[in-house]
Amino acid sequence: MVFAFTLRVMSIFVGFGAVILYINKNLLNSKQNLRRVFATAGVVSVVVGSNMLIG
């Protein structure tokens, strides 16, 4: 049971690493794309934070 839990957590981290690698290789290759990614992350963060404070 411990082995299954460890394997599942490890697969989640490997999957997250693969997503980050894909983003780095395909989206963050120019300064304009980098600004768009950070702007999108900022807007999502503000929306989620305000939703948590209001709701």
Side-chain angles (χ1 to χ4, degrees), residues 18-35:
V19 168
I20 295 299
L21 181 65
Y22 175 79
I23 289 172
N24 283 338
K25 286 192 173 207
N26 295 319
L27 295 178
L28 301 180
N29 52 10
S30 72
K31 192 176 259 189
Q32 185 174 8
N33 285 347
L34 185 65
R35 287 181 181 149

Side-chain angles (χ1 to χ4, degrees), residues 28-48:
L28 301 180
N29 52 10
S30 72
K31 192 176 259 189
Q32 185 174 8
N33 285 347
L34 185 65
R35 287 181 181 149
R36 285 181 185 158
V37 168
F38 277 109
T40 303
V43 168
V44 168
S45 176
V46 167
V47 168
V48 169

Side-chain angles (χ1 to χ4, degrees), residues 48-55:
V48 169
S50 61
N51 189 21
M52 288 175 68
L53 289 175
I54 293 172

